[in-house]
PDB file of all heavy atoms in Angstrom:
ATOM      1  N   TYR O  12       0.834  -1.216   0.000  1.00 95.00           N
ATOM      2  CA  TYR O  12       0.000   0.000   0.000  1.00 95.00           C
ATOM      3  C   TYR O  12       0.865   1.261   0.000  1.00 95.00           C
ATOM      4  O   TYR O  12       0.568   2.231  -0.696  1.00 95.00           O
ATOM      5  CB  TYR O  12      -0.950   0.000   1.203  1.00 95.00           C
ATOM      6  CG  TYR O  12      -1.659   1.320   1.419  1.00 95.00           C
ATOM      7  CD1 TYR O  12      -2.577   1.800   0.483  1.00 95.00           C
ATOM      8  CD2 TYR O  12      -1.405   2.097   2.539  1.00 95.00           C
ATOM      9  CE1 TYR O  12      -3.217   3.017   0.661  1.00 95.00           C
ATOM     10  CE2 TYR O  12      -2.043   3.316   2.729  1.00 95.00           C
ATOM     11  CZ  TYR O  12      -2.950   3.771   1.785  1.00 95.00           C
ATOM     12  OH  TYR O  12      -3.570   4.979   1.973  1.00 95.00           O
ATOM     13  N   TYR O  13       1.944   1.230   0.767  1.00 96.00           N
ATOM     14  CA  TYR O  13       2.799   2.414   0.869  1.00 96.00           C
ATOM     15  C   TYR O  13       3.321   2.857  -0.496  1.00 96.00           C
ATOM     16  O   TYR O  13       3.592   4.050  -0.718  1.00 96.00           O
ATOM     17  CB  TYR O  13       3.962   2.167   1.844  1.00 96.00           C
ATOM     18  CG  TYR O  13       5.134   1.465   1.225  1.00 96.00           C
ATOM     19  CD1 TYR O  13       6.203   2.183   0.710  1.00 96.00           C
ATOM     20  CD2 TYR O  13       5.176   0.074   1.128  1.00 96.00           C
ATOM     21  CE1 TYR O  13       7.284   1.539   0.132  1.00 96.00           C
ATOM     22  CE2 TYR O  13       6.237  -0.575   0.549  1.00 96.00           C
ATOM     23  CZ  TYR O  13       7.289   0.155   0.048  1.00 96.00           C
ATOM     24  OH  TYR O  13       8.350  -0.484  -0.535  1.00 96.00           O
ATOM     25  N   LYS O  14       3.461   1.923  -1.447  1.00 95.00           N
ATOM     26  CA  LYS O  14       3.975   2.277  -2.772  1.00 95.00           C
ATOM     27  C   LYS O  14       3.037   3.234  -3.500  1.00 95.00           C
ATOM     28  O   LYS O  14       3.491   4.084  -4.269  1.00 95.00           O
ATOM     29  CB  LYS O  14       4.201   1.013  -3.609  1.00 95.00           C
ATOM     30  CG  LYS O  14       5.338   0.161  -3.085  1.00 95.00           C
ATOM     31  CD  LYS O  14       5.494  -1.107  -3.904  1.00 95.00           C
ATOM     32  CE  LYS O  14       6.590  -2.000  -3.330  1.00 95.00           C
ATOM     33  NZ  LYS O  14       6.683  -3.277  -4.050  1.00 95.00           N
ATOM     34  N   GLN O  15       1.724   3.106  -3.252  1.00 93.00           N
ATOM     35  CA  GLN O  15       0.769   4.049  -3.848  1.00 93.00           C
ATOM     36  C   GLN O  15       0.988   5.450  -3.292  1.00 93.00           C
ATOM     37  O   GLN O  15       0.917   6.437  -4.028  1.00 93.00           O
ATOM     38  CB  GLN O  15      -0.658   3.612  -3.560  1.00 93.00           C
ATOM     39  CG  GLN O  15      -1.059   2.333  -4.271  1.00 93.00           C
ATOM     40  CD  GLN O  15      -2.487   1.962  -3.941  1.00 93.00           C
ATOM     41  OE1 GLN O  15      -3.398   2.736  -4.197  1.00 93.00           O
ATOM     42  NE2 GLN O  15      -2.680   0.801  -3.360  1.00 93.00           N
ATOM     43  N   ILE O  16       1.254   5.522  -1.991  1.00 95.00           N
ATOM     44  CA  ILE O  16       1.500   6.814  -1.352  1.00 95.00           C
ATOM     45  C   ILE O  16       2.782   7.438  -1.917  1.00 95.00           C
ATOM     46  O   ILE O  16       2.804   8.611  -2.291  1.00 95.00           O
ATOM     47  CB  ILE O  16       1.614   6.657   0.181  1.00 95.00           C
ATOM     48  CG1 ILE O  16       0.311   6.111   0.760  1.00 95.00           C
ATOM     49  CG2 ILE O  16       1.983   7.999   0.829  1.00 95.00           C
ATOM     50  CD1 ILE O  16       0.391   5.721   2.218  1.00 95.00           C
ATOM     51  N   VAL O  17       3.836   6.638  -1.996  1.00 96.00           N
ATOM     52  CA  VAL O  17       5.102   7.115  -2.549  1.00 96.00           C
ATOM     53  C   VAL O  17       4.878   7.631  -3.971  1.00 96.00           C
ATOM     54  O   VAL O  17       5.369   8.701  -4.341  1.00 96.00           O
ATOM     55  CB  VAL O  17       6.180   6.004  -2.507  1.00 96.00           C
ATOM     56  CG1 VAL O  17       7.393   6.375  -3.351  1.00 96.00           C
ATOM     57  CG2 VAL O  17       6.599   5.725  -1.062  1.00 96.00           C
ATOM     58  N   GLY O  18       4.115   6.887  -4.767  1.00 93.00           N
ATOM     59  CA  GLY O  18       3.822   7.298  -6.139  1.00 93.00           C
ATOM     60  C   GLY O  18       3.113   8.647  -6.205  1.00 93.00           C
ATOM     61  O   GLY O  18       3.430   9.492  -7.045  1.00 93.00           O
ATOM     62  N   CYS O  19       2.153   8.868  -5.306  1.00 91.00           N
ATOM     63  CA  CYS O  19       1.435  10.148  -5.262  1.00 91.00           C
ATOM     64  C   CYS O  19       2.378  11.292  -4.909  1.00 91.00           C
ATOM     65  O   CYS O  19       2.319  12.367  -5.519  1.00 91.00           O
ATOM     66  CB  CYS O  19       0.293  10.089  -4.246  1.00 91.00           C
ATOM     67  SG  CYS O  19      -1.120   9.102  -4.758  1.00 91.00           S
ATOM     68  N   ILE O  20       3.264  11.069  -3.948  1.00 95.00           N
ATOM     69  CA  ILE O  20       4.200  12.121  -3.533  1.00 95.00           C
ATOM     70  C   ILE O  20       5.199  12.398  -4.653  1.00 95.00           C
ATOM     71  O   ILE O  20       5.533  13.551  -4.934  1.00 95.00           O
ATOM     72  CB  ILE O  20       4.913  11.749  -2.220  1.00 95.00           C
ATOM     73  CG1 ILE O  20       3.883  11.656  -1.076  1.00 95.00           C
ATOM     74  CG2 ILE O  20       5.999  12.776  -1.879  1.00 95.00           C
ATOM     75  CD1 ILE O  20       4.422  11.055   0.210  1.00 95.00           C
ATOM     76  N   GLU O  21       5.653  11.339  -5.326  1.00 95.00           N
ATOM     77  CA  GLU O  21       6.575  11.533  -6.453  1.00 95.00           C
ATOM     78  C   GLU O  21       5.900  12.320  -7.568  1.00 95.00           C
ATOM     79  O   GLU O  21       6.526  13.165  -8.213  1.00 95.00           O
ATOM     80  CB  GLU O  21       7.082  10.184  -6.965  1.00 95.00           C
ATOM     81  CG  GLU O  21       8.093   9.549  -6.020  1.00 95.00           C
ATOM     82  CD  GLU O  21       8.497   8.138  -6.415  1.00 95.00           C
ATOM     83  OE1 GLU O  21       7.764   7.484  -7.198  1.00 95.00           O
ATOM     84  OE2 GLU O  21       9.544   7.675  -5.920  1.00 95.00           O
ATOM     85  N   LYS O  22       4.616  12.076  -7.789  1.00 93.00           N
ATOM     86  CA  LYS O  22       3.880  12.741  -8.868  1.00 93.00           C
ATOM     87  C   LYS O  22       3.517  14.183  -8.517  1.00 93.00           C
ATOM     88  O   LYS O  22       3.656  15.078  -9.347  1.00 93.00           O
ATOM     89  CB  LYS O  22       2.613  11.951  -9.186  1.00 93.00           C
ATOM     90  CG  LYS O  22       1.806  12.516 -10.324  1.00 93.00           C
ATOM     91  CD  LYS O  22       0.635  11.610 -10.669  1.00 93.00           C
ATOM     92  CE  LYS O  22      -0.164  12.169 -11.831  1.00 93.00           C
ATOM     93  NZ  LYS O  22      -1.290  11.288 -12.180  1.00 93.00           N
ATOM     94  N   PHE O  23       3.047  14.411  -7.277  1.00 92.00           N
ATOM     95  CA  PHE O  23       2.497  15.717  -6.912  1.00 92.00           C
ATOM     96  C   PHE O  23       3.388  16.547  -5.990  1.00 92.00           C
ATOM     97  O   PHE O  23       3.043  17.665  -5.644  1.00 92.00           O
ATOM     98  CB  PHE O  23       1.122  15.538  -6.256  1.00 92.00           C
ATOM     99  CG  PHE O  23       0.129  14.861  -7.137  1.00 92.00           C
ATOM    100  CD1 PHE O  23      -0.321  13.581  -6.844  1.00 92.00           C
ATOM    101  CD2 PHE O  23      -0.358  15.488  -8.283  1.00 92.00           C
ATOM    102  CE1 PHE O  23      -1.247  12.945  -7.667  1.00 92.00           C
ATOM    103  CE2 PHE O  23      -1.280  14.862  -9.107  1.00 92.00           C
ATOM    104  CZ  PHE O  23      -1.719  13.584  -8.800  1.00 92.00           C
ATOM    105  N   GLY O  24       4.517  15.985  -5.567  1.00 93.00           N
ATOM    106  CA  GLY O  24       5.408  16.708  -4.660  1.00 93.00           C
ATOM    107  C   GLY O  24       5.046  16.454  -3.204  1.00 93.00           C
ATOM    108  O   GLY O  24       4.119  15.693  -2.905  1.00 93.00           O
ATOM    109  N   PRO O  25       5.748  17.105  -2.290  1.00 96.00           N
ATOM    110  CA  PRO O  25       5.584  16.828  -0.857  1.00 96.00           C
ATOM    111  C   PRO O  25       4.360  17.523  -0.239  1.00 96.00           C
ATOM    112  O   PRO O  25       4.446  18.173   0.796  1.00 96.00           O
ATOM    113  CB  PRO O  25       6.897  17.334  -0.258  1.00 96.00           C
ATOM    114  CG  PRO O  25       7.319  18.430  -1.167  1.00 96.00           C
ATOM    115  CD  PRO O  25       6.869  18.013  -2.548  1.00 96.00           C
ATOM    116  N   TYR O  26       3.206  17.378  -0.895  1.00 93.00           N
ATOM    117  CA  TYR O  26       1.957  17.994  -0.426  1.00 93.00           C
ATOM    118  C   TYR O  26       1.493  17.434   0.918  1.00 93.00           C
ATOM    119  O   TYR O  26       0.617  18.016   1.566  1.00 93.00           O
ATOM    120  CB  TYR O  26       0.844  17.799  -1.462  1.00 93.00           C
ATOM    121  CG  TYR O  26       0.423  16.355  -1.621  1.00 93.00           C
ATOM    122  CD1 TYR O  26      -0.686  15.857  -0.950  1.00 93.00           C
ATOM    123  CD2 TYR O  26       1.157  15.479  -2.423  1.00 93.00           C
ATOM    124  CE1 TYR O  26      -1.057  14.523  -1.076  1.00 93.00           C
ATOM    125  CE2 TYR O  26       0.800  14.165  -2.553  1.00 93.00           C
ATOM    126  CZ  TYR O  26      -0.308  13.692  -1.881  1.00 93.00           C
ATOM    127  OH  TYR O  26      -0.668  12.370  -1.996  1.00 93.00           O
ATOM    128  N   VAL O  27       2.059  16.322   1.334  1.00 95.00           N
ATOM    129  CA  VAL O  27       1.640  15.669   2.580  1.00 95.00           C
ATOM    130  C   VAL O  27       2.314  16.272   3.816  1.00 95.00           C
ATOM    131  O   VAL O  27       1.965  15.919   4.936  1.00 95.00           O
ATOM    132  CB  VAL O  27       1.913  14.148   2.541  1.00 95.00           C
ATOM    133  CG1 VAL O  27       1.154  13.494   1.396  1.00 95.00           C
ATOM    134  CG2 VAL O  27       3.402  13.846   2.445  1.00 95.00           C
ATOM    135  N   VAL O  28       3.276  17.172   3.617  1.00 97.00           N
ATOM    136  CA  VAL O  28       4.020  17.749   4.746  1.00 97.00           C
ATOM    137  C   VAL O  28       3.430  19.110   5.095  1.00 97.00           C
ATOM    138  O   VAL O  28       3.248  19.969   4.227  1.00 97.00           O
ATOM    139  CB  VAL O  28       5.522  17.886   4.417  1.00 97.00           C
ATOM    140  CG1 VAL O  28       6.280  18.456   5.609  1.00 97.00           C
ATOM    141  CG2 VAL O  28       6.106  16.542   4.004  1.00 97.00           C
ATOM    142  N   PHE O  29       3.140  19.287   6.383  1.00 95.00           N
ATOM    143  CA  PHE O  29       2.527  20.503   6.879  1.00 95.00           C
ATOM    144  C   PHE O  29       3.495  21.258   7.790  1.00 95.00           C
ATOM    145  O   PHE O  29       4.622  20.825   8.016  1.00 95.00           O
ATOM    146  CB  PHE O  29       1.236  20.174   7.644  1.00 95.00           C
ATOM    147  CG  PHE O  29       0.243  19.411   6.820  1.00 95.00           C
ATOM    148  CD1 PHE O  29      -0.017  18.074   7.085  1.00 95.00           C
ATOM    149  CD2 PHE O  29      -0.426  20.012   5.771  1.00 95.00           C
ATOM    150  CE1 PHE O  29      -0.930  17.370   6.332  1.00 95.00           C
ATOM    151  CE2 PHE O  29      -1.338  19.312   5.004  1.00 95.00           C
ATOM    152  CZ  PHE O  29      -1.594  17.981   5.284  1.00 95.00           C
ATOM    153  N   GLU O  30       3.006  22.342   8.350  1.00 93.00           N
ATOM    154  CA  GLU O  30       3.784  23.108   9.323  1.00 93.00           C
ATOM    155  C   GLU O  30       4.143  22.229  10.511  1.00 93.00           C
ATOM    156  O   GLU O  30       3.520  21.204  10.763  1.00 93.00           O
ATOM    157  CB  GLU O  30       2.963  24.314   9.812  1.00 93.00           C
ATOM    158  CG  GLU O  30       2.617  25.315   8.734  1.00 93.00           C
ATOM    159  CD  GLU O  30       3.832  26.016   8.160  1.00 93.00           C
ATOM    160  OE1 GLU O  30       4.721  26.419   8.936  1.00 93.00           O
ATOM    161  OE2 GLU O  30       3.894  26.149   6.926  1.00 93.00           O
ATOM    162  N   HIS O  31       5.108  22.679  11.269  1.00 94.00           N
ATOM    163  CA  HIS O  31       5.509  22.058  12.529  1.00 94.00           C
ATOM    164  C   HIS O  31       6.019  20.621  12.344  1.00 94.00           C
ATOM    165  O   HIS O  31       5.815  19.767  13.203  1.00 94.00           O
ATOM    166  CB  HIS O  31       4.359  22.118  13.548  1.00 94.00           C
ATOM    167  CG  HIS O  31       4.851  22.282  14.957  1.00 94.00           C
ATOM    168  ND1 HIS O  31       5.286  23.489  15.437  1.00 94.00           N
ATOM    169  CD2 HIS O  31       4.994  21.398  15.966  1.00 94.00           C
ATOM    170  CE1 HIS O  31       5.669  23.332  16.693  1.00 94.00           C
ATOM    171  NE2 HIS O  31       5.516  22.080  17.040  1.00 94.00           N
ATOM    172  N   ASN O  32       6.635  20.337  11.196  1.00 97.00           N
ATOM    173  CA  ASN O  32       7.284  19.040  10.946  1.00 97.00           C
ATOM    174  C   ASN O  32       6.346  17.841  11.063  1.00 97.00           C
ATOM    175  O   ASN O  32       6.694  16.807  11.630  1.00 97.00           O
ATOM    176  CB  ASN O  32       8.493  18.870  11.875  1.00 97.00           C
ATOM    177  CG  ASN O  32       9.505  19.973  11.686  1.00 97.00           C
ATOM    178  OD1 ASN O  32       9.797  20.361  10.561  1.00 97.00           O
ATOM    179  ND2 ASN O  32      10.026  20.509  12.768  1.00 97.00           N
ATOM    180  N   VAL O  33       5.150  18.019  10.519  1.00 98.00           N
ATOM    181  CA  VAL O  33       4.139  16.965  10.527  1.00 98.00           C
ATOM    182  C   VAL O  33       3.821  16.586   9.083  1.00 98.00           C
ATOM    183  O   VAL O  33       3.682  17.454   8.221  1.00 98.00           O
ATOM    184  CB  VAL O  33       2.845  17.453  11.215  1.00 98.00           C
ATOM    185  CG1 VAL O  33       1.752  16.408  11.113  1.00 98.00           C
ATOM    186  CG2 VAL O  33       3.115  17.809  12.664  1.00 98.00           C
ATOM    187  N   ALA O  34       3.699  15.278   8.841  1.00 97.00           N
ATOM    188  CA  ALA O  34       3.297  14.796   7.521  1.00 97.00           C
ATOM    189  C   ALA O  34       2.088  13.875   7.672  1.00 97.00           C
ATOM    190  O   ALA O  34       1.947  13.182   8.678  1.00 97.00           O
ATOM    191  CB  ALA O  34       4.436  14.053   6.844  1.00 97.00           C
ATOM    192  N   MET O  35       1.239  13.898   6.663  1.00 96.00           N
ATOM    193  CA  MET O  35       0.066  13.030   6.631  1.00 96.00           C
ATOM    194  C   MET O  35       0.053  12.265   5.299  1.00 96.00           C
ATOM    195  O   MET O  35      -0.719  12.570   4.394  1.00 96.00           O
ATOM    196  CB  MET O  35      -1.215  13.862   6.798  1.00 96.00           C
ATOM    197  CG  MET O  35      -2.450  13.021   7.007  1.00 96.00           C
ATOM    198  SD  MET O  35      -3.921  14.010   7.396  1.00 96.00           S
ATOM    199  CE  MET O  35      -4.160  14.913   5.876  1.00 96.00           C
ATOM    200  N   PRO O  36       0.948  11.271   5.179  1.00 96.00           N
ATOM    201  CA  PRO O  36       0.983  10.488   3.938  1.00 96.00           C
ATOM    202  C   PRO O  36      -0.338   9.748   3.728  1.00 96.00           C
ATOM    203  O   PRO O  36      -0.902   9.188   4.667  1.00 96.00           O
ATOM    204  CB  PRO O  36       2.129   9.496   4.177  1.00 96.00           C
ATOM    205  CG  PRO O  36       2.946  10.103   5.271  1.00 96.00           C
ATOM    206  CD  PRO O  36       1.980  10.864   6.118  1.00 96.00           C
ATOM    207  N   HIS O  37      -0.806   9.783   2.495  1.00 91.00           N
ATOM    208  CA  HIS O  37      -2.047   9.082   2.170  1.00 91.00           C
ATOM    209  C   HIS O  37      -2.129   8.886   0.662  1.00 91.00           C
ATOM    210  O   HIS O  37      -1.437   9.551  -0.096  1.00 91.00           O
ATOM    211  CB  HIS O  37      -3.263   9.870   2.661  1.00 91.00           C
ATOM    212  CG  HIS O  37      -3.354  11.250   2.087  1.00 91.00           C
ATOM    213  ND1 HIS O  37      -2.597  12.300   2.572  1.00 91.00           N
ATOM    214  CD2 HIS O  37      -4.075  11.751   1.066  1.00 91.00           C
ATOM    215  CE1 HIS O  37      -2.870  13.385   1.877  1.00 91.00           C
ATOM    216  NE2 HIS O  37      -3.751  13.076   0.952  1.00 91.00           N
ATOM    217  N   SER O  38      -2.989   7.967   0.286  1.00 84.00           N
ATOM    218  CA  SER O  38      -3.274   7.736  -1.124  1.00 84.00           C
ATOM    219  C   SER O  38      -4.704   8.220  -1.353  1.00 84.00           C
ATOM    220  O   SER O  38      -5.228   8.997  -0.564  1.00 84.00           O
ATOM    221  CB  SER O  38      -3.110   6.249  -1.445  1.00 84.00           C
ATOM    222  OG  SER O  38      -3.286   6.024  -2.812  1.00 84.00           O
ATOM    223  N   THR O  39      -5.347   7.721  -2.369  1.00 71.00           N
ATOM    224  CA  THR O  39      -6.720   8.120  -2.646  1.00 71.00           C
ATOM    225  C   THR O  39      -7.690   7.300  -1.802  1.00 71.00           C
ATOM    226  O   THR O  39      -7.362   6.207  -1.341  1.00 71.00           O
ATOM    227  CB  THR O  39      -7.044   7.910  -4.132  1.00 71.00           C
ATOM    228  OG1 THR O  39      -6.780   6.537  -4.458  1.00 71.00           O
ATOM    229  CG2 THR O  39      -6.210   8.812  -5.012  1.00 71.00           C
ATOM    230  N   GLU O  40      -8.885   7.846  -1.616  1.00 63.00           N
ATOM    231  CA  GLU O  40      -9.913   7.114  -0.891  1.00 63.00           C
ATOM    232  C   GLU O  40     -10.238   5.831  -1.656  1.00 63.00           C
ATOM    233  O   GLU O  40     -10.230   5.814  -2.891  1.00 63.00           O
ATOM    234  CB  GLU O  40     -11.169   7.978  -0.752  1.00 63.00           C
ATOM    235  CG  GLU O  40     -12.168   7.401   0.217  1.00 63.00           C
ATOM    236  CD  GLU O  40     -13.315   8.358   0.502  1.00 63.00           C
ATOM    237  OE1 GLU O  40     -13.142   9.571   0.317  1.00 63.00           O
ATOM    238  OE2 GLU O  40     -14.374   7.863   0.887  1.00 63.00           O
ATOM    239  N   ASN O  41     -10.514   4.773  -0.920  1.00 64.00           N
ATOM    240  CA  ASN O  41     -10.795   3.460  -1.499  1.00 64.00           C
ATOM    241  C   ASN O  41      -9.645   2.955  -2.375  1.00 64.00           C
ATOM    242  O   ASN O  41      -9.860   2.314  -3.403  1.00 64.00           O
ATOM    243  CB  ASN O  41     -12.112   3.466  -2.298  1.00 64.00           C
ATOM    244  CG  ASN O  41     -13.302   3.696  -1.401  1.00 64.00           C
ATOM    245  OD1 ASN O  41     -13.397   3.109  -0.326  1.00 64.00           O
ATOM    246  ND2 ASN O  41     -14.210   4.552  -1.822  1.00 64.00           N
ATOM    247  N   ALA O  42      -8.433   3.265  -1.959  1.00 78.00           N
ATOM    248  CA  ALA O  42      -7.258   2.824  -2.703  1.00 78.00           C
ATOM    249  C   ALA O  42      -7.155   1.304  -2.658  1.00 78.00           C
ATOM    250  O   ALA O  42      -7.596   0.664  -1.703  1.00 78.00           O
ATOM    251  CB  ALA O  42      -5.995   3.448  -2.114  1.00 78.00           C
ATOM    252  N   ALA O  43      -6.564   0.735  -3.691  1.00 85.00           N
ATOM    253  CA  ALA O  43      -6.346  -0.705  -3.719  1.00 85.00           C
ATOM    254  C   ALA O  43      -5.462  -1.098  -2.550  1.00 85.00           C
ATOM    255  O   ALA O  43      -4.524  -0.393  -2.202  1.00 85.00           O
ATOM    256  CB  ALA O  43      -5.680  -1.097  -5.038  1.00 85.00           C
ATOM    257  N   GLY O  44      -5.797  -2.203  -1.931  1.00 91.00           N
ATOM    258  CA  GLY O  44      -4.980  -2.704  -0.838  1.00 91.00           C
ATOM    259  C   GLY O  44      -5.378  -2.204   0.533  1.00 91.00           C
ATOM    260  O   GLY O  44      -4.742  -2.541   1.523  1.00 91.00           O
ATOM    261  N   VAL O  45      -6.433  -1.376   0.621  1.00 93.00           N
ATOM    262  CA  VAL O  45      -6.913  -0.906   1.914  1.00 93.00           C
ATOM    263  C   VAL O  45      -8.121  -1.745   2.320  1.00 93.00           C
ATOM    264  O   VAL O  45      -9.095  -1.848   1.582  1.00 93.00           O
ATOM    265  CB  VAL O  45      -7.307   0.589   1.872  1.00 93.00           C
ATOM    266  CG1 VAL O  45      -7.895   1.032   3.210  1.00 93.00           C
ATOM    267  CG2 VAL O  45      -6.110   1.442   1.512  1.00 93.00           C
ATOM    268  N   HIS O  46      -8.043  -2.349   3.502  1.00 94.00           N
ATOM    269  CA  HIS O  46      -9.114  -3.223   3.983  1.00 94.00           C
ATOM    270  C   HIS O  46      -9.873  -2.641   5.164  1.00 94.00           C
ATOM    271  O   HIS O  46     -11.010  -3.010   5.421  1.00 94.00           O
ATOM    272  CB  HIS O  46      -8.543  -4.593   4.353  1.00 94.00           C
ATOM    273  CG  HIS O  46      -7.730  -5.179   3.242  1.00 94.00           C
ATOM    274  ND1 HIS O  46      -8.282  -5.622   2.055  1.00 94.00           N
ATOM    275  CD2 HIS O  46      -6.397  -5.343   3.110  1.00 94.00           C
ATOM    276  CE1 HIS O  46      -7.324  -6.061   1.255  1.00 94.00           C
ATOM    277  NE2 HIS O  46      -6.164  -5.896   1.867  1.00 94.00           N
ATOM    278  N   LYS O  47      -9.212  -1.738   5.922  1.00 93.00           N
ATOM    279  CA  LYS O  47      -9.835  -1.083   7.074  1.00 93.00           C
ATOM    280  C   LYS O  47      -9.360   0.364   7.122  1.00 93.00           C
ATOM    281  O   LYS O  47      -8.205   0.640   6.805  1.00 93.00           O
ATOM    282  CB  LYS O  47      -9.421  -1.764   8.391  1.00 93.00           C
ATOM    283  CG  LYS O  47      -9.809  -3.206   8.536  1.00 93.00           C
ATOM    284  CD  LYS O  47      -9.293  -3.725   9.884  1.00 93.00           C
ATOM    285  CE  LYS O  47      -9.047  -5.209   9.841  1.00 93.00           C
ATOM    286  NZ  LYS O  47      -8.255  -5.679  10.979  1.00 93.00           N
ATOM    287  N   THR O  48     -10.238   1.246   7.552  1.00 92.00           N
ATOM    288  CA  THR O  48      -9.850   2.633   7.752  1.00 92.00           C
ATOM    289  C   THR O  48      -8.988   2.724   9.007  1.00 92.00           C
ATOM    290  O   THR O  48      -9.315   2.116  10.026  1.00 92.00           O
ATOM    291  CB  THR O  48     -11.101   3.527   7.898  1.00 92.00           C
ATOM    292  OG1 THR O  48     -11.842   3.453   6.670  1.00 92.00           O
ATOM    293  CG2 THR O  48     -10.735   4.972   8.174  1.00 92.00           C
TER     294      THR O  48
END
């Protein structure tokens, strides 16, 4: 699953990183390989 997240960051840049040294890595909703929220 993490490979989808890496792919999104590689494609769109480090949009997952916020202020105060916090990141919220994620893929798309209902991404392949996700079984539980």
Side-chain angles (χ1 to χ4, degrees):
Y12 169 66
Y13 84 94
K14 292 178 183 176
Q15 292 180 59
I16 299 171
V17 167
C19 287
I20 296 170
E21 287 173 341
K22 182 175 181 179
F23 300 111
Y26 67 97
V27 300
V28 181
F29 303 109
E30 297 295 317
H31 214 77
N32 301 318
V33 175
M35 190 173 66
H37 59 281
S38 184
T39 56
E40 192 172 337
N41 294 316
V45 176
H46 308 291
K47 299 179 207 166
T48 297

